[in-house]
Structure formats: structure tokens, C-alpha cells
Amino acid sequence: MKKSYLLLAGVAALSLAACNKTGNEVAADNIEANVDNSADNMDAMADNASGNAADTLGNQADAMRDKGDNVADNVAAGNMTESQGNKAVNAM
């Protein structure tokens, strides 16, 4: 139930954040939010793991966020379409 409230709050925040933004910026925000959600899930799994598994999951979550930020920046700058950005994120 808690996750659904967080998801709802995230959607509401994205809706408000979309005001006065270009299509590329909105697409980049959506990509970044999706990557953050996935990385948050990995962090939660790391919290439930121990030892090397926890460290590995935490590192993978950090790497995912970094790559997602780079993809979002490229989409916002117009160097990549939203479709290309989504493909790049899904390939992570």
C-alpha cells in the first residue's frame, strides 16, 4: 500500500513538473523516474541481502542511476529520441 502512495505521488509530481517543459524534457523526466524506480527496487533487494550480494546489488543500482541520468540528459538535449532512450534504458 505504501508503494502505491509513493507511485501516485511520483505521478503527481511528474505531472506538475511537466508544466512549461518541452516534450524532450518531459520524456527525459519520465525516463529518469522509471530508472530511479528500478534502482530503488534494486536497493530494496540489497537491503534484504547480505554480504557480496548486497554490495553487488547496491553497485548495480548506482550504475543504473548513472546510465539513466546520461540517457535522460541525451533525450532532453535532443541527441536521442524518447524511443531510443527507452530502448537504451531497457537494455541496461
Side-chain angles (χ1 to χ4, degrees), residues 30-81:
N30 290 338
I31 288 169
E32 195 165 8
N34 289 336
V35 169
D36 281 339
N37 287 337
S38 295
D40 288 345
N41 288 336
M42 290 179 86
D43 282 333
M45 289 188 296
D47 290 343
N48 293 323
S50 62
N52 288 338
D55 292 340
T56 300
L57 284 168
N59 290 339
Q60 288 174 341
D62 291 342
M64 180 180 283
R65 282 191 182 93
D66 289 342
K67 289 179 184 178
D69 287 344
N70 289 337
V71 169
D73 289 345
N74 279 312
V75 170
N79 299 329
M80 188 181 275
T81 66

Side-chain angles (χ1 to χ4, degrees), residues 3-18 30 33-34 37:
K3 287 184 182 181
S4 62
Y5 286 124
L6 287 173
L7 182 59
L8 183 60
V11 170
L14 283 175
S15 297
L16 291 174
N30 290 338
N34 289 336
N37 287 337

